Amino acid sequence: MTTTLTTHSESETAAAGRELAATLAPETAVLLFGDLGAGKTAFVRGLAEGLGANPSDVSSPTFTLIQEYRGGRLPLLHVDLYRLDDSREIDDLGLEELGSGGVVAIEWAEKLPRPIPGSVAVRIEHGDGDTRRITVERN
Ligand SMILES: Nc1ncnc2c1ncn2[C@@H]1O[C@H](COP(=O)(O)OP(=O)(O)O)[C@@H](O)[C@H]1O
Ligand SMILES: [Mg+2]
């Protein structure tokens, strides 16, 4: 099932993440696709909020690779693959096990060496000005 929406601000994109969060079961991977500045981290901030974690803990994990936010309905693991190019390094993260029991949100998911079964794909594209087109696809 695919849904598409257009947002006009960072907070609207976060709200879309919040809405998705309400529907997520444990062990779900949310794969985020989109250019730098598309709004992937903003969307994850909404996911954290929707799960009940503190959204202000969510920053771009470009330098930390993996962050975990607890305190919500499910733990949220936030991964940013931007700096990883070697698929072996990505494999070594063991993302599928890391997410056990919680939700894993993965920015730059195009770098994943293989698909993650049952994942939700979120694609964010720049439109004019601050508009973003967001497509959410459940597999
Ligand atoms: N509709 C929108 N949705 C999300 N972010 C937006 C939007 N309009 C403008 N922005 C800005 O774009 C940037 C998105 O940053 P970020 O979420 O870190 O992107 P990414 O993680 O994809 O690199 C922020 O500076 C945000 O304020
Ligand atoms: Mg980001």
Side-chain angles (χ1 to χ4, degrees), residues 9-25:
S9 65
E10 180 172 348
S11 62
E12 280 184 32
T13 293
R18 221 158 52 222
E19 280 179 30
L20 177 65
T23 71
L24 295 176

Side-chain angles (χ1 to χ4, degrees), residues 17-91:
R18 221 158 52 222
E19 280 179 30
L20 177 65
T23 71
L24 295 176
E27 320 256 323
T28 306
V30 178
L31 311 184
L32 293 127
F33 302 87
D35 295 342
L36 203 62
K40 301 179 296 299
T41 299
F43 191 95
V44 174
R45 196 169 292 121
L47 278 181
E49 190 175 11
L51 290 171
N54 183 355
S56 61
D57 289 343
V58 179
S59 58
S60 175
T62 298
F63 296 101
T64 48
L65 202 61
I66 299 181
Q67 294 182 110
E68 188 170 26
Y69 317 116
R70 292 186 167 272
R73 176 171 76 81
L74 299 169
L76 173 63
L77 209 66
H78 181 195
V79 182
D80 190 324
L81 300 178
Y82 184 62
R83 287 178 176 269
L84 292 190
D85 283 312
D86 180 4
S87 62
R88 277 252 300 285
E89 279 180 319
I90 294 171
D91 263 349

